[in-house]
Amino acid sequence: MATAASDAALDCKRPALEESVLPALLEMRGIVKTYGAVCANRSVDLDVREGCVVGLLGENGSGKSTLMKVLFGMIRPDSGRILFQGRALAGHSPREAIAAGIGMIHQHFTLVEAMTVTENVMLGWAAAGAVLKPAEIAARIEATSRTYGLAVDPHAIVATLSFGLRQRVEIVKAILRGAKLLILDEPTSNLSPPEVAGLLGVIRRLREERHSVIFISHKLAEVIEICDEVVVLRDGAVSGRTPIAEATREGLARMMVERDLSAPVTRSARAPGQAVLAVEGLTRRDASGATRLSEIGFTVQAGEILAVAGVDGNGQADLLDTLAGILPAHSGRILLDGRDITRMSVRRRLAAGLAYIPIDRGGTSLVPGMTIADNLAMRDFDRPPLARGPLLDPGAMRARANERIAAFDIRAPHGDVQARTLSGGNQQKIVLAREIGRKPRLLLAFQPTWGLDPGAARFVIDQLLLLRDEGGAILYVSAELEEVLTLGDRIAVLSNGRLSSPEPRAEVDVTRIGLMMAGAA
Amino acid sequence: MKDPVALGPIELSASEAGAPDAGALFQRLGAHNGLRATGRAVVAVLLAFAVTAIPILISGKSPIAAYWALLHGAFGSFDHVAFALNKSTPYILTAVGVALCFRAQIINIGGEGQIAVGGLAASWVALNCGDLPSLLAIVLALAAGAVAGALWAGIAAVIRLTRGVHEVLSTLLLNFVGVLLVSEALNGAMGEAGAGFPQSPMFDEAVRLPTLFSGYDLHVGLIIALVVTGCAQFLLWRTRFGFQLRLLGGSRAAAAYAGVSFAGGVIGVMLLGGGLAGLAGGIEVLGVHYRLIEGFSLGFGFTGVAVALLAAANPLAVVPAGLFFGFLQAGALAMQREVGVPSSLVYVIQGFSIVFVLCAIGLDRRWQRV
Ligand SMILES: Nc1ncnc2c1ncn2[C@@H]1O[C@H](COP(=O)(O)OP(=O)(O)OP(=O)(O)O)[C@@H](O)[C@H]1O
Ligand SMILES: [Mg+2]
């Protein structure tokens, strides 16, 4: 536990203020929040100083998002005090939190897609006045965007913006509304590496302008790079806090889980099997006629992981959705175990042993309002053992839920609670448990570890390797080069709808892959 | 778009998460949500009565006297109760169908037209069944009503799937067509010659719905409605089709990912909803009027939607909600007669009940299990 003395000794990275003690901006004291028997926050203290970036770390379900929702006024704590800029905040609504100078960037954005950036910024903003002055606001957006290096075009329609840019629109929105403190809950988990670098740059600019940031992430390297101080939650309580100068990856990991995660990933030598997935000349155009995939061809063999690296928006989702049968192919063939499945329905592909972990950007792989048991059954509900004829078998569904909850360490009281009551990482575990637990012939995995804490991510990687060793074929798609290089038996790059020819891991030239991802080679 | 600001400080899920022992058990039984929903509906109804007291006061009448008359009119005698139960029956049936559609996020507001064509088809069978055995004739007539209602709703489903016209629009417009079809038939081939009012001849005794107790008007339609409600609940939670509906309602993207066909779901649930409304129409003509009359379905479709809303699209809750509307309307006439308060005030009560329930649901819609 930190004492006042050690707090005062904190050295924030801000060079100009190094010797002076930065004034406190936020003090949270003794925050308690329980959900029935689950204690999400048990007497948490959190301090943030002006111009400091505080990292909030912790396993999935350790209570990070809950603490932030309490701060932002989205939920009411059972007890505890919040002091922001010397003023007490209690029973406040998000509106009041914003007025007080707190901004929160959610993982699911709150932008209206059909509107421009300027319109979105004005939306629901009292200070924009009763008579809107779009030109004036646009100018302010431009100015803010320049100050913080955000590169946001005020006239762009939100629907046309990439995920990373939408996030920046949210940041502009929060800054213009006067946010002194920005809460970023897992802002990097859906970003490509260059977007992450850009975001970290923005956070640095925010710090220079004396804004404070609470930064939640499971990626220790990012946390060490950007934060001035780290607070670690475990099981709803603070298990450690440390200035960044004294933090190491190993030390942080220990504070989070009390387990050693440093054991290297082990992989057995692979005997090439027969082709499980063979794709020939796959081409797809979107509704506007633009080519999303062009003439893609590759195979994935039994007992092999083909890892595809690529920056978001280069056709990854199209490729996987087409293979899974959700989107139609315009030409080309897809063979699964030698059978042509190009025109097969999703259901028949499922029955043929195809599993798919999509990247979830809201409600695709998971229905928050359904129970865990329903979500685990979502893709198998109409086949034995979960169904008998036209009827569901609730007993079988419950049994499967209990088994998967245990096997994948999903933190939930039982299978009959709604998925939305789980923490973000635990929701992702439901999807993984469903798809990996199917013991598929072919697994399509799109950034399966996003939102998972390091321990859970490691567990998933081990599961994928186990599936491979048992003869399953895996197509692994990710923007994270490190994971691609760890997991892939062969590695390819998807850029601009074209797939490079896969190379064995031993022959891969990392620099060249990086360039290809950037579309330069 | 999810707007966190709209959530406000309200944290309704706290109690829903439940304590491990009793709470979890309640949740497994689905009863916990049920209790919350029931509480919500009861509060909404009480509020509606309270608010409606204001216009009654303004008109110089005593709300207490008015509500007493209402209560008496609804429950005063077995005859009154039988009348109210008969009135509730088509509401329950229609609302169950609407509720199933709502579960799949399909907005079927075509109950009125579906009831009308259902009644028309059932009447046609009833008038033309010759001397079939009574039971067979009744079953045939009701089946014809259900099929007609289903096909009527099916038109909207097909238009939605082939032309992309939203079902709100098509079902609404088909209401007018359905009602006019009935008028057309009554002014033509099916009308009673020289009646002076657009109505068909009386049906044979043999095709009238049997009553439950001799000497009272209460017919077997209520039993049918209750059985149907039970089946709908089972369908929704225990069958593959019900799972598909819930998945479609939960997220279209997730349904596509799970390989659940939107077209199949829309057609299935619209046929079902239309079928139940058509059945309601058949029961109404065979059990209450013993003939087809113009305007017999007036307002039933929308009341069905209102009942489904009051029940928060929960099939089991449709029964009390439907009974509430039935008894309210049955008591309204007595209120008008005895206290001089216009019977239309009960529509004010209905309206307020729904508004209040919707407000409550709106606050925790996102937390409802799908
Ligand atoms: N609405 C809710 N109802 C019941 N339990 C909830 C609810 N919201 C959160 N919880 C529980 O509170 C605990 C903390 O959840 P929280 O979302 O704060 O975790 P987190 O640290 O953000 O995890 P992650 O890294 O996975 O996002 C979890 O056990 C979760 O199941
Ligand atoms: Mg979280």
Side-chain angles (χ1 to χ4, degrees), chain A residues 299-316:
Chain A
T299 59
V300 189
Q301 293 158 1
E304 181 191 43
I305 300 179
L306 174 63
V308 173
V311 178
D312 185 41
N314 278 280
Q316 289 93 331

Side-chain angles (χ1 to χ4, degrees), chain A residues 66 149 154-155 198 222 244 288 306 326 399 411-412 420 435:
Chain A
T66 305
H155 305 293
E222 282 169 6
I244 207 66
S288 66
L306 174 63
I326 297 167
R411 306 279 167 88
R420 63 167 181 79
E435 300 302 314

Side-chain angles (χ1 to χ4, degrees), chain B residues 51-72:
Chain B
V51 173
T52 311
I54 296 169
I56 298 179
L57 274 175
I58 291 173
S59 70
K61 306 286 191 316
S62 152
I64 297 185
Y67 290 156
W68 180 250
L70 184 79
L71 201 66
H72 183 76

Side-chain angles (χ1 to χ4, degrees), chain A residues 301-339:
Chain A
Q301 293 158 1
E304 181 191 43
I305 300 179
L306 174 63
V308 173
V311 178
D312 185 41
N314 278 280
Q316 289 93 331
D318 287 87
L319 175 61
L320 294 180
D321 278 357
T322 310
L323 294 177
I326 297 167
L327 293 177
H330 287 99
S331 60
R333 290 208 307 159
I334 306 167
L335 303 176
L336 183 64
D337 279 322
R339 250 199 315 162

Side-chain angles (χ1 to χ4, degrees), chain A residues 35 75-76 95 110-111 347 356 363-364 369-371 374 378-379 382 389-390 392 414 416 418 420 434-435, chain B residues 1-2 4-5 8-9 11 16 18 20 24 28 234 238-240 243-244 246 251 254 257-259 367 369-370:
Chain A
Y35 290 105
I75 55 179
R76 213 164 272 178
R95 211 174 286 278
T110 56
L111 301 171
R347 301 230 58 79
Y356 178 25
T364 303
M370 281 184 141
T371 63
D374 282 351
M378 190 167 112
R379 301 231 295 165
D382 61 354
L392 300 176
H414 51 77
D416 288 337
Q418 293 174 42
R420 63 167 181 79
R434 182 181 65 221
E435 300 302 314
Chain B
M1 277 290 117
K2 292 176 181 169
V5 176
E11 175 58 2
E16 203 173 281
R28 276 166 201 275
F234 185 82
R238 287 298 173 85
T239 68
R240 284 164 40 181
F243 196 95
Q244 293 182 357
R246 291 190 283 128
S251 154
Y257 164 68
W367 289 295
R369 184 181 164 192
V370 293

Side-chain angles (χ1 to χ4, degrees), chain A residues 35-36 38-41 58-67 69 75 107 185-186 216 218 233 411-413 420-427 451-453, chain B residues 11 13-14 17 367:
Chain A
Y35 290 105
V38 179
C39 203
N41 285 158
E59 281 191 284
N60 295 129
S62 56
K64 306 178 295 294
S65 297
T66 305
L67 187 64
K69 287 180 191 160
I75 55 179
Q107 206 142 32
D185 193 348
E186 297 192 33
I216 301 181
H218 291 296
L233 289 184
R411 306 279 167 88
R420 63 167 181 79
T421 67
L422 269 58
S423 78
N426 282 296
Q427 295 184 8
L452 297 187
D453 64 51
Chain B
E11 175 58 2
S13 51
W367 289 295

